[in-house]
Every structure is written in structure tokens, then in C-alpha cells.
Amino acid sequence: MKKTVALLILLACAADTAFGETLSLDGAWQIVFDHRNEGRAAQWYKQKTFESLASKRTIQVPSCWETIEQDYEGAAWYGLRIRVPAAWKGKLIRLRFDAVNYRAEVWINDQPAGFHEGGYTPFELTVGDLLRSGEENFLAVRVLGPVLTKDTILDGIGPNETPHWRGAITGGIWQSVQLVASNEVYVSRVFVQPDIKGSRVVVRTEVENASRKVRPVTLELVLDGNAGGARREIALRPGQNVVEAEISIPNAKLWSPEHPNLYTLQAALSEGGSVLDRAQQRFGMREFVIRGRDYYLNGQRIFIKAGFWEGLYPHTLAFPPNPDIVRREIRLAKEAGFNVLRPWRKPPAPIILELADEMGIMLVGAPPIECMDYWPQLAPETEQRIANEIREMILRDRNHPSVIYWELFNEIVRPGLARLKQGMSLLARGLDPTRIVIDESGGWAEGAHAYPPYGYEPVAINEVHSYRPAPVSPQTYDLYLRLPQQGSDARMLGRSAMKAPDGLIFVSEVGYGAFPDLPANVERYKREGNPLTPDYRYHVLLLEGIEKAARQMKWDEIFPDTAALCRASQRVQAEGNRIQLEALRLNPRIAGYCLHAYTDGDWVIGAGVLDLFRNPKLVYETVKRVQAPLYIAAKVDPPNVSEGQTAQLRFLAVNEQGARTEELTWEIAGPDGNVRHRRSNKVSIAAGISTLLETELPPLGPSGTYKVRVRAAGYANEHEFFYLAKKDLQVPAAEFAVLDPKGELTPFLKTHGLHFREFSGAGNLPVIVATDTSRNAETLQQFTQVIAHVKRGGVAVFLKTPGIRTVPKRVENELVRTGVFPFKTRLRAARGNWDPVNHGVRPHPIFEGLPVKDFMGQAYLNVCANETIEGIQEPPIVGSLSYEWGTTRPDANYHGPRNVWWGSDLVEVPYGSGRLLLSTLRITENLGQDPVADKLFYNIVRWAASRH
């Protein structure tokens, strides 16, 4: 009589044998940190030797070992006594690790059992012959962790040569471990390939036959309560066998974020009527593709609103401490309008994928390969290591409908990695024909390409990374609104400039950061955290650094405490991100964006919409508003308006719903909060992007910040703009001298009737210097005379401060180098990115009539500084607060932010008997174009005259 075997398809990519038995090995293990890497030679894998070591400690598995040994990079040994059930005798027993970082070498009862390289994916070893059933056994695991910051070589692996994630060391056995007992025939891997057009799935099952003879089996698959199935008679040869079967699914319920429908495939493998194995596999019917310039989900165009998901968790670092925190993350993301999350450069913990499937959030799958200039460092083994990470990630995660595509590389600048793009993409295609493969996010190495499902020829796309400062300039807004327009503005994209003008455009990194509520976060860390972990330490250090810098800058005149400073930072983040995302949504050529970031993390601690404890920042509600299915934008052009100037008020809509006719109500509130104008108009809101109303800005009242509020179809939005009345833009009567060798300032002075003289070296007038460099010996002499004038008791204003630049390369300034300028000033970038650089304004006569006692908001969108001055110790009038990411770029990883530093954007400095006013504000280039620049300049003239 023929024997038959029943097959069970499992939830994980490597099947769990539900019919068999599982013994969890999670819990307390022993660990010895091998600081001198001597354990292998000393045979620490032997139970007697290991247990005699005095340096043994207890560690919980799973956990990252840096939770008990601060910043440990090196080798360590794990030991565990385990009792195997007597009933397992004769069973096939496998030892399964969900992830060990980076290399794991395993011994059982002093005998070698196998090894694995790769820190973020599962592996298993067949170990039944090494175990004594019904008795106690000893398991030893030697782990070589990643070397990230130390200048050392560990077993041939040098610094940063292992693929890794930057958020933590993630050392050791950081995911679950278990023993699995099964029959000799078992499922090793299952892949369910949905075909929504064909209303079917193709099931590819890998079955291991560990016996030494051919086994005739019957494979039975049943879909969700007899809704469909398949049956196969198979002769399993010893070793691995691949079985393919098709199952029809008429009128399939498709998986989407709105309707995360999941199917369960039941299977059984029986022999002579006796069931040997039983399990199940969840999957979803889903198709995600690129067609032309757009993404399509299940045949419908979809605009991607993604968030950069750092995946760093307080205390546990690389994995969530419980499912509830993941449920909260996904729920908050969906409520804020995100439909995709981009886990940052590591395969997520399995619970994240399972909950994403269930709750309906799409994910980007990416291996732990960041690229750029430093991760990983190139070695002869690099290609093999990268291939291994990609292979094991895809094999683990390809059954999850939430994963919509594979993103293999990120921001490649080195030829040694660029040469791997095609080969790795084809590897991914062979492992998973059903998904898009993106060869490189950012497209720095000759552009980005998408391999369509079942396709082997890449299609050029635009994968854009763009970080612009807040307040958001008109140039940035126009750039995002008009992509893929070429030209000078497009060059702001740098390495991500449009390389496929007719292709899909996905702005996969964009956004601006802010400080979380550091006092509250630090208080919580001190109450419940672990001082050994880097997240605890850099939160504390960042708070201490900010408080010290704020005292030196006299920011107590702006913010009553550090919590208020953090909230002010978050207001800038909220408005900056709203404006940038608004421009992208109003651009019909954009297929989507990914906001950097959804959650805070490591050295991009300020990036998130949520902080590290998953508390929403102020920006959360703003992002929720801008990502609504119906978004109505209010625009004032120009954004800063003066009395008598013609300005346009426009209302535009992005409508992801059906066309409709609605009542549009709008009003303008003045600086005192009182409504000065209110109107209602019947408007047609088309599907897609449309202009609802254009009108001239009506007359306003006193100077200050005004708000346009708009409401339609239950949606409300508001937009701020700044207005200056004529009486507040009076030309000053004071006379002054000007040194303007390049003619940058004089035309404005003449046009607007200011009282000035060309600087001659004589006289006692305050001097305004328009440039920071000398053109010739004559000009150098004039600078010398200006400084002498100040030393005698005069006043000089440097609208552009001389200083030495060191990034990206050192650029000497002749005035500083020669000592003509009396201060060794350095100029450093203060652009913002996700590093929350904010510009605080102290109350001062130069800012009379302008917003003060806050960070610079959108009123300063044109004049806010791009550079800040280091080397001046006087408290600034306008100052910038920054932090470093590490002493060197490769150090910008789990250590987080450090070395808080501050600079001056506008500062008054005594010299001799006189005064210097030094500025990096962008005043000169905006005179006559922005009334705020005019107002600042007029105030500077009056201040200089009063100080003279």
C-alpha cells in the first residue's frame, strides 16, 4: 500500500511545524564577553570550560548585548543548559535562530553544529544527532558582533565591513531561539505568489526529505474553509524537493490599506491515513506596480504618502518590546494619512510584518545596506555578504502582502558598490518575481531603476532625496511644485537631480526635524531606562548640551525653559513640513514622497513626527492635515507683503475623492486675532489638483502676522503671512558710509533714497560693509581703514561676515588669513536638514516691528541664515543651535548626536573703543524684493546711528 504524506504551509518564510513540537529557548542565558578574542583557542565552547569562567554573566535572550555591556564591539560566548524531551528521541530536531548579529558559531555538547553569517535574518541547523533526548544538554554559541567604531580586525572582519543598521550595535542573539522536532519530511520554505488578474495563487513549496529513500506523498492544500484547493501526488527524493500548485480564487478579496484582507491556506501531509505534519500560511491578494509615471495598487492609481520608520525602540533598541507599541505606531501612521512606512535599512522584526499585514500599512523591504561613503566598507567578501543579506531577507519576507517592493541599495557614491546594482537586482528578481525591485534609493550612482514584476529589464525612474531648511524659501517651494523642471533650482537636488525627466518621480526622502520634548524624555529615561544603552545617553547629553548653549546665548530672554525651546522647534518643523509636503502634493508629476521621518532615531533624533517613545510631536497634527484625502491650500504671493503692493490670494485643492461642488469659506485674521475679512464662494472641486479661487489680497491694517483660514467640505486649513504697513517701512533719516566694492548694495540705496556716502577712510559716520572679501590691494586697504575706524570708537556693520569655511573643503578668507579682520571667525552650515537647526531671535532694536522671542518662522523665509559664525563668544542677537553626528562620518551611527554647538547669525561685538555688527542673514540679496529684508536693513541703519 502506498504511503502518503500531508503538507502544511506556514506563516513564516521558513515553515514552523505546528504538527510537531517546539521548545522555546528564550529566557536567561549565560554570556562571557571575550575582550581579547581568546575563547576559540581556549575551547570555551566546552561546557566544563565555559562554566568555570569567572566572568560569566546572565543575559536575556532575545536582547542586544549592549544593554548589559556598554558599546561592546567584539566577540562573546553564550551558554545554555537545555533538557530535550525524551519523547523527541528519533525525531528530526532543528535549532532555529531568528537573528544573531553578526556571525554565529554553534556547538552542542562540545561538538560543532554549524555556523551562520548575517545579522538580521533567521537560520536553522539540524542537530538531533548531537542532542541527548530526555537528558540535559549544553548549547554554546560564539558570536562575532559587528565592528563599527573600533580600529580593529576581528577574525578577518574589519571596521564597518559587515552589513549593518546604524541604530544600535544590535550585538548577539537579539531575536528568539527555539528547538523544533518534526518528522523526517518537513516543509523548509513556502512562497505564495498572488495573481489577481488570473484570480489564482501559485504556491511554491520546498520540502525536505531527510530520510535516505524516496517517499511517495500526497500534498493537499485547502483555502479558507474549502473555498478552493489543490492535490498533488509526489515522489519525494532525499534532500530538497520543490512542489508547485495553483489554486483558483474566484472573486478574490484584495489586500489594501483600506481593506487588509488576508487568506489562510491550510495543508495536510498524511501517510497511511496518519497525519504527520500540519500548518497554515497567511497571504494577501495584492498587486503593486509602476505604470508610466505613477504607482498602481490593485489596478488603481495611488499616491504614496510614506514615512521613514527608524525602527529604534527605547531600552530594547533594535526590536519592539511588545506588539502594542507596533500597533500604536501603525494606528497613528494610518490616522495621519500615511499609507506606506519605509523601515530604515534592516528587515523588520517579524511581529512588525505580521501587524502591518493585519492592520493595512504598506512597507518597503530593505536589507541592512546603507551605502553612502562608509557602510559597508569594501572588502573581497562584500559582494557575497550583500547577496546573503538580500537573499535571506527576501526568502523570509516575500509572503507578506504589506511589503510592496524591495529597495536594495541607498545613496551609492562608491564604484565598488555601484557595480553590484544589476547583479543584486537580478538576484532579487529570481527570488521574488511578483514585486518591484528598486536598485538604489536616491539614484546617486547613475540614477535609480525599477525592475517591474516578472521583468528583467530595468526602467529608469527618479528617486529623489532632498533636504531643505525651514523656514521654507520660495525657491524650495517652487522646486517641489515644478519637478522635474530643469535649471538652477533643480540643482538644489544635488546628486538626486532628475536623471529620467520622463519617468516616475518619487521624493523618497524629504523633511525637516525638531527637538522632541527632551526634558520629559530624559525624565522618563532616568525613571525606567538603562544608562548603558546609547539612546539613554545621547538624550541626556543632548539635553545638557542644549541647556549649556542656551545659557551662553542668553536664550532665557526667548524661552522660559528647555521644554518651551523644544516646542518652538517643533512649531518650525510643523510649518516647514506642511509647506514642503503641500508643494509636492500640488505637483501632478509627483507619484509620492517619503517624509523623513515618521519616528525619531539615533543621530537623526530630531527627524520624527513621533519621538522615540512614540509620542506625537506638534508636527503630527500638521502632517495629518496636509495628508488628508481632501487638502485645501491657501497661498499668498508674495509671502511677505507691504502696504500698496499687489498680492494674490489663491486657494488650491488636492482631491483624492470624487468631484464635488462646495461652499468655500475663507477669512483673514489680523495680528490681534480679529477677523478683518470674511467671504464665501461656491466652488467646483475637481478630482485631482485644481485651483478653486484666485483673488487680490484685500487691504489690511497694522503690521504683523496675519492668518488666512479656509474651510470647505468639513476640511479646515490656515496659512500665515507677514504684512508691513507703510508707516513701518519709513526710510531712515540717518546718514552712513558704505563700503561696496562689488556694487551689491548701492543700487538699492539710491533707488530708495537713503542718505549715504562712499567710505573714504575719513569721517565719523557708521560704516556698512556689503561684502566679505577684498578684490584688490586698494579694497584691502579700505577694509583696514574700516577696522581702524572701529578701534577708534566707530561702528561698522558687516552684512556678510568674513570667515573661514572648512566644509566641504577648507576655503581661506583673505581678510581673516591676513589678520585685517580682527577675529578668527569660522563659518559653518546651518541649513537644517533633519538636524533641527533653528534660529532664535532675542528682543533687540534691529528687530523692532518683526517677530522676536521665538525661532525664525516663515516671516524670515528669505533672510534666514544658511551659515552661522563660530568663534564669537558674545551672546548673539540671532543665534543658531546645532549638534554634531560624530567626530567622523562613519561614527555617525548608534552613538547618536553629540557636541552641541552654537553660532551667531547676527551679533554685536566690541572691538577697541567701537562696535562691530556681524551678520550671516541674507539681507543684501533680498533688499527691494522682501519687505522684511528692507525692514531689517532700515533698523540696522538706525541702530548703527544710535550706537555711533
Side-chain angles (χ1 to χ4, degrees), residues 617-689:
K617 299 181 187 174
L618 297 181
V619 68
Y620 177 82
E621 290 298 328
T622 303
V623 169
K624 183 177 182 178
R625 178 160 38 106
V626 79
Q627 295 194 143
L630 173 63
Y631 176 74
I632 300 175
K635 292 299 298 175
V636 176
D637 189 23
N640 290 336
V641 184
S642 60
E643 185 178 355
Q645 181 181 18
T646 300
Q648 294 297 312
L649 176 60
R650 303 171 64 215
F651 298 99
L652 304 98
V654 183
N655 181 15
E656 297 173 356
Q657 303 164 333
R660 62 181 78 180
T661 299
E662 298 286 350
E663 192 78 17
L664 181 79
T665 302
W666 59 274
E667 64 186 28
I668 300 177
D672 57 3
N674 294 326
V675 175
R676 305 187 66 86
H677 300 278
R678 182 180 284 118
R679 301 281 190 277
S680 288
N681 304 81
K682 210 76 166 177
V683 297
S684 296
I685 306 177
I689 299 166

Side-chain angles (χ1 to χ4, degrees), residues 805-816:
R805 295 174 175 86
T806 57
V807 177
K809 61 181 180 180
R810 186 176 181 87
V811 178
E812 295 281 357
N813 180 280
E814 184 180 13
L815 300 179
V816 177

Side-chain angles (χ1 to χ4, degrees), residues 277-288:
D277 212 1
R278 194 178 275 137
Q280 62 187 21
Q281 172 67 57
R282 286 197 316 182
F283 67 93
M285 296 295 288
R286 190 265 302 125
E287 178 192 66
F288 186 85

Side-chain angles (χ1 to χ4, degrees), residues 398-710:
R398 62 186 178 176
N399 283 311
H400 292 280
S402 55
V403 178
I404 53 173
Y405 63 79
W406 306 114
E407 177 191 280
L408 303 186
F409 294 92
N410 177 72
E411 295 183 355
I412 294 176
V413 298
R414 290 170 288 161
L417 291 177
R419 63 187 289 268
L420 304 180
K421 285 173 61 172
Q422 182 181 14
M424 295 302 143
S425 297
L426 294 177
L427 170 65
R429 165 55 64 245
L431 294 167
D432 178 10
T434 71
R435 284 178 178 83
I436 296 168
V437 176
I438 305 295
D439 62 359
E440 180 202 0
S441 184
W444 288 13
E446 301 303 321
H449 303 84
Y451 291 74
Y454 299 95
Y456 287 79
E457 295 182 4
V459 176
I461 62 172
N462 298 291
E463 258 267 358
V464 178
H465 293 181
S466 178
Y467 294 105
R468 304 298 301 164
V472 181
S473 71
Q475 292 79 13
T476 295
Y477 191 90
D478 290 344
L479 170 69
Y480 291 165
L481 190 64
R482 294 186 172 92
L483 286 174
Q485 177 177 320
Q486 303 296 298
S488 59
D489 285 350
R491 284 197 291 271
M492 291 192 290
L493 297 175
R495 290 168 169 163
S496 288
M498 296 292 103
K499 296 176 182 177
D502 296 326
L504 174 142
I505 303 172
F506 181 46
V507 184
S508 55
E509 292 187 22
V510 64
Y512 187 80
F515 294 117
D517 187 343
L518 284 169
N521 283 0
V522 168
E523 180 184 358
R524 183 169 178 180
Y525 267 110
K526 290 184 176 180
R527 185 174 66 250
E528 64 185 45
N530 178 355
L532 297 178
T533 62
D535 55 318
Y536 181 113
R537 302 197 319 268
Y538 58 65
H539 273 78
V540 172
L541 290 173
L542 185 58
L543 177 60
E544 291 174 351
I546 289 172
E547 291 177 338
K548 179 181 178 181
R551 289 192 298 271
Q552 293 171 342
M553 301 167 79
K554 293 191 175 178
W555 270 9
D556 57 336
E557 298 177 20
I558 305 177
F559 308 109
D561 52 37
T562 308
L565 183 154
C566 293
R567 286 193 297 273
S569 174
Q570 292 179 30
R571 288 195 295 271
V572 176
Q573 179 193 28
E575 188 65 359
N577 282 332
R578 181 189 70 81
I579 293 170
Q580 294 186 50
L581 297 188
E582 173 185 287
L584 293 173
R585 290 202 71 191
L586 289 171
N587 184 341
R589 279 287 281 110
I590 300 295
Y593 56 74
C594 180
L595 179 65
H596 191 294
Y598 178 53
T599 53
D600 278 351
D602 55 89
W603 48 278
V604 293
I605 184 176
V609 171
L610 309 181
D611 69 16
L612 210 59
F613 287 102
R614 277 50 183 179
N615 299 311
K617 299 181 187 174
L618 297 181
V619 68
Y620 177 82
E621 290 298 328
T622 303
V623 169
K624 183 177 182 178
R625 178 160 38 106
V626 79
Q627 295 194 143
L630 173 63
Y631 176 74
I632 300 175
K635 292 299 298 175
V636 176
D637 189 23
N640 290 336
V641 184
S642 60
E643 185 178 355
Q645 181 181 18
T646 300
Q648 294 297 312
L649 176 60
R650 303 171 64 215
F651 298 99
L652 304 98
V654 183
N655 181 15
E656 297 173 356
Q657 303 164 333
R660 62 181 78 180
T661 299
E662 298 286 350
E663 192 78 17
L664 181 79
T665 302
W666 59 274
E667 64 186 28
I668 300 177
D672 57 3
N674 294 326
V675 175
R676 305 187 66 86
H677 300 278
R678 182 180 284 118
R679 301 281 190 277
S680 288
N681 304 81
K682 210 76 166 177
V683 297
S684 296
I685 306 177
I689 299 166
S690 60
T691 300
L692 304 181
L693 179 67
E694 290 185 280
T695 185
E696 194 171 294
L697 192 69
L700 302 175
S703 298
T705 300
Y706 284 73
K707 289 184 178 180
V708 181
R709 302 189 183 109
V710 61

Side-chain angles (χ1 to χ4, degrees), residues 370-414:
E370 294 200 35
C371 304
M372 297 174 274
D373 292 301
Y374 27 86
W375 298 315
Q377 289 298 299
L378 297 175
E381 301 88 354
T382 298
E383 181 174 0
Q384 180 179 342
R385 287 171 179 156
I386 290 175
N388 185 60
E389 297 291 347
I390 291 172
R391 179 184 300 107
E392 294 191 353
M393 172 191 69
I394 293 176
L395 292 177
R396 191 195 75 164
D397 297 344
R398 62 186 178 176
N399 283 311
H400 292 280
S402 55
V403 178
I404 53 173
Y405 63 79
W406 306 114
E407 177 191 280
L408 303 186
F409 294 92
N410 177 72
E411 295 183 355
I412 294 176
V413 298
R414 290 170 288 161

Side-chain angles (χ1 to χ4, degrees), residues 111-169:
Q111 297 300 311
F115 87 104
H116 176 263
E117 185 170 311
Y120 298 88
T121 45
F123 66 97
E124 63 181 31
L125 306 170
T126 301
V127 296
D129 59 320
L130 300 176
L131 290 167
R132 300 186 292 266
S133 298
E135 300 180 28
E136 191 174 76
N137 299 264
F138 181 70
L139 171 62
V141 184
R142 178 178 183 254
V143 181
L144 298 180
V147 178
L148 307 178
T149 64
K150 294 183 177 180
D151 186 15
T152 187
I153 296 177
L154 184 66
D155 285 20
I157 301 176
N160 285 292
E161 288 183 359
T162 59
H164 74 92
W165 166 65
R166 70 171 184 233
I169 299 170

